[in-house]
Amino acid sequence: MGMCLSCCGNSAEETNLMPPAEERRRQQLEAAERRQQENESRGVKNLDKVRRQQQRAEEMERREEEAARQGGNPTLRWQAS
């Protein structure tokens, strides 16, 4: 009777489907890094374009600050004579 049940029962190898703790930690770390990268690029299709726009904005700000320090009033005014 014991022989009949031995083929239907789960073996020790089948019951231990979880990977070792270190392997599981590595997989979790990879998944977290992947999610972080996806969230950073969410909604942005061209990262290089966004970086260039940010650099241009920073350059314009820097120029405006420099002009304000040197010229005092950077705005142009029309004069009618």
Side-chain angles (χ1 to χ4, degrees), residues 3-80:
M3 297 205 40
C4 183
L5 293 177
S6 65
C7 67
C8 296
N10 291 336
S11 67
E13 190 175 304
E14 290 176 352
T15 57
N16 189 9
L17 295 177
M18 299 233 358
E22 287 185 26
E23 177 71 18
R24 197 169 57 241
R25 284 187 198 111
R26 184 185 61 77
Q27 290 174 347
Q28 289 173 342
L29 179 63
E30 289 174 358
E33 289 173 350
R34 208 175 317 116
R35 282 192 307 271
Q36 185 177 10
Q37 287 177 344
E38 289 172 358
N39 284 337
E40 287 174 356
S41 64
R42 174 185 253 166
V44 177
K45 302 299 179 197
N46 190 348
L47 291 176
D48 292 333
K49 182 178 178 182
V50 172
R51 289 186 187 121
R52 285 193 303 269
Q53 288 176 340
Q54 288 174 344
Q55 288 174 347
R56 278 191 224 127
E58 290 170 1
E59 179 68 21
M60 288 295 291
E61 257 184 63
R62 189 184 60 77
R63 287 182 182 179
E64 288 174 359
E65 289 173 2
E66 186 176 314
R69 276 186 266 131
Q70 290 178 357
N73 191 0
T75 59
L76 299 175
R77 295 180 185 223
W78 289 94
Q79 292 183 350

